[in-house]
Amino acid sequence: MPSGSTTTAQATDAVSGGPPPELTEASRDETSLRRFLHALPGIDQVGLEQRAATLATRSVKKDAKRWAIDAAISMVDLTTLEGADTPGKVRALTAKARRPDPEYPDVPPVGAVCVYPDLAGVAVRDLAGTGIGVASVATAFPSGRSNRQVKLADTAMAVEAGATEIDMVIDRGAFLTGRYGLVLEEIQAVKAACGDAHLKVILETGELATYDNVRRASWLALLAGADFIKTSTGKVSPAATLPVTHVMLQAVRDWHALTGEHRGVKPAGGIRGTKDAIRYLVAVREVAGPAWLTPRLFRFGASSLLNDLLMQRRRQLTGHYSGADYVSVD
Amino acid sequence: MSETPFEYAPAPESADIANLRPAYQMFVDGKFVDGAGEPMKTVNPATEEVLAEVTTAAASDVDRAVRAARRAYDRVWGRMPGAERAKYLFRIARLIQERSRELAVLETLDNGKPIRESRDADLPTVAAHFFHHAGWADKLDYAGYGPDPQPLGVAAQVIPWNFPLLMLAWKIAPALACGNTVVLKPAETTPLTALVFAEICQQAELPPGVVNIVTGAGEVGAELVAHDGVDKVAFTGSTDVGKRIQRGLAGTGRRLSLELGGKAANIVFDDAPLDQAVEGVVNGIFFNQGHVCCAGSRLLVQESVAEELVARLRDRIGTLRIGDPLDKNTDVGAINSRAQLDRITELADSGDAEGASRWTSPCPVPERGYFFAPTVFSDVQQSMRIAREEIFGPVLSVLTFRTPDEAIAKANNTPYGLSAGIWTEKGSRILWAASRVRAGVVWANTFNRFDPTAPFGGYQESGFGREGGRAGLEAYLNV
């Protein structure tokens, strides 16, 4: 079992001497940033998708499957991001987060609960002392269409409410028009506003359209200090896909090779089944490396995934499916 | 971090699916018969255990098979309308799909290739070849060889052990579509799937004699290709044997197509998509344990990215899983035979002796069975044996180049010319390089991709004639 703490301690094991000069140089000004991002190796779409599809054929059975299910549960950011959210709904989620399956107390708690900033306080009260994180979206989620002041105020609100993780969105409009400096600065400003809270940067890969853009945005976020890079808001289709997650896992792997720091990845949206979740864990293991198989460095942004994981977990223990009525609907 | 690492539990495909029988007969004139030769045993290379006993042909059996093929050609198949031939081919293609799981497991048992490859690469492509050529059978007028092109007659076909069923499909599907009948000899180490294919011919009610499968070692093949009763010889295998066949056929007027060895270059320019180039290089040389005539066995990498690419390559190769070919998570299976393992070992040792630096994947290798860990040689020079001779195993030689012209010169500096790979994000450079590389197949930003619509074949000592696509029909038509 990944017993590693499910809290949100800064997941860095920084090497002495700081980042290598080419990285400090990269974020010096707009021109060098553009030069750095455009010099990243290109991505061949066909080859990437073929590799992702081949890895998805890995057959995970028996002990490996049981391990993977528990690991996946501990990596879930149990999410509700609806206009209709109420404090009651959030309490239902926090209860589920603490004890996902009441009949099996050995089920690990989830990684975090993810809510809108105005409800972060509710989750913080409920989860105090449990070690489960409270993630709050911020920065005019999901579109990011507002000014800097509003985005920072949004972040401050979540942090004051006690959120331990902030899920921000990047300014895709600025990114797509090539104003990388603006995107970088904004992430840095939000990072500063986060204080001790962990920053996850949502790239909204469905709007970036190409894998080359995903790679550039990943490096941009890493340069700006993101603790995690996250695929999607869940509000745009396509949300997380395996090939996009491959690109982001390559980015954190290469970042580690350069700096010695471990940064995390969070695919979000559209991951509903255990089978899908296991395919992501296989990708983590074989693309980034086994070191990333911890909730400190890999999370799933999901809501319905947890119940499927619980049902599959029971199936592994009892040999038969229990049915949707035997897990709680929240 | 976790105490228990995420290690995949064994996930073996059941060997029972192969319906393995203790003995197999050869297939002549629509019937399974015993040959007059000494029976041979076929071995599972992953366990070194005997799988089954297989009858073998004597000269008299080869003669009987050729006569049966002639009769079937004269009386039924040669005069049958293309639309009718197509129905048989479609039926065979569907039966292959229906029995694909059985065939995949049997192929893995007999050949040693991972089940992932026999299931996801070999079998789908086998069925695709029959579907593709079934479609051609009634459209040969439009193949570009003039109106009503005629078949050749009886085709003698000898195939290798690296893709037993796929090579059978490459040979039999176009021959039948064009109206020829065939006598095919599978390799002596991998005869089983061809004999199950013969069952499928029976199931499809193919007229007797249209397809005949004779079994045995090299001398049976020699008997077959030298037989007076054949009109066409098609051979896939080593360059030495190919040359012998060509000498034997000189002056007889019989048609010949040869698909022989290769020493393909995979050229990685410094603007290549690096992560995908690493995948492509791995797939180019470790697919099917490197038992691929078009394997990308020479990596030519531009000096400015050589260090980075080779480092990434080693990391990636270190994740390849070598072991039980029936395990669904195995990436690299067993070497097909003791003889081939010895040859690979000998050539790799010559690399050490000639001064190249060997790196071997740290992955665990099974103690029993014929296995060879993925190996990369760097500091390889053009003059070394490992850069010139076909190794036919999981051994990659890394050479570097400084300028595009040097890359082409090195790539072409081989007596072979079967395939090449080009890795660059620049379209104009792909076209520039593809027009200069002397190879029958050039892949751009990918490697080892096969499709029945794409002709396959070589230059120089890699042979002549094409298989697949419209161009491939020419080998079986009198044009």
Side-chain angles (χ1 to χ4, degrees), chain B residues 424-467:
Chain B
T424 168
E425 282 276 276
K426 198 169 187 168
S428 59
R429 186 170 289 141
I430 292 175
L431 297 175
W432 177 88
S435 65
R436 279 161 184 79
V437 170
R438 278 202 317 269
V441 182
V442 180
W443 283 293
N445 292 335
T446 189
F447 209 90
N448 272 346
R449 297 277 271 176
F450 305 100
D451 189 282
T453 58
F456 183 92
Y459 273 61
Q460 307 193 109
E461 294 209 1
S462 292
F464 47 82
R466 293 291 178 263
E467 297 185 288

Side-chain angles (χ1 to χ4, degrees), chain A residues 11-60:
Chain A
T12 51
D13 24 339
V15 285
S16 54
E22 66 261 38
L23 292 185
T24 18
E25 177 65 17
S27 47
R28 196 171 46 113
D29 57 33
E30 184 82 39
T31 319
S32 39
L33 188 58
R34 163 179 293 272
R35 202 179 295 133
F36 176 83
L37 295 176
H38 285 257
L40 291 167
I43 293 174
D44 184 76
Q45 181 186 343
V46 175
L48 172 69
E49 290 174 359
Q50 198 185 345
R51 164 79 169 138
T54 306
L55 258 193
T57 68
R58 287 282 193 232
S59 177
V60 177

Side-chain angles (χ1 to χ4, degrees), chain B residues 121-194:
Chain B
D122 291 45
L123 261 297
T125 321
V126 169
H129 264 268
F130 278 96
F131 278 117
H132 174 83
H133 287 98
W136 269 120
D138 62 348
K139 301 172 194 71
L140 296 172
D141 284 352
Y142 308 99
Y145 303 110
D148 200 21
Q150 294 299 304
L152 292 167
V154 175
Q157 306 178 318
V158 177
I159 57 170
W161 47 260
N162 58 343
F163 292 93
L165 197 59
L166 184 57
M167 290 301 105
L168 173 146
W170 282 25
K171 294 277 180 285
I172 292 185
L176 263 45
C178 292
N180 306 274
T181 56
V182 306
V183 181
L184 176 132
K185 188 197 86 72
E188 73 263 33
T189 58
T190 56
L192 299 184
T193 44

Side-chain angles (χ1 to χ4, degrees), chain A residues 124-150:
Chain A
V124 168
R125 275 192 297 284
D126 277 10
L127 293 175
T130 60
I132 300 169
V134 174
S136 169
V137 296
T139 69
F141 180 94
S143 68
R145 295 247 69 89
S146 193
N147 66 21
R148 180 77 51 90
Q149 264 178 311
V150 170

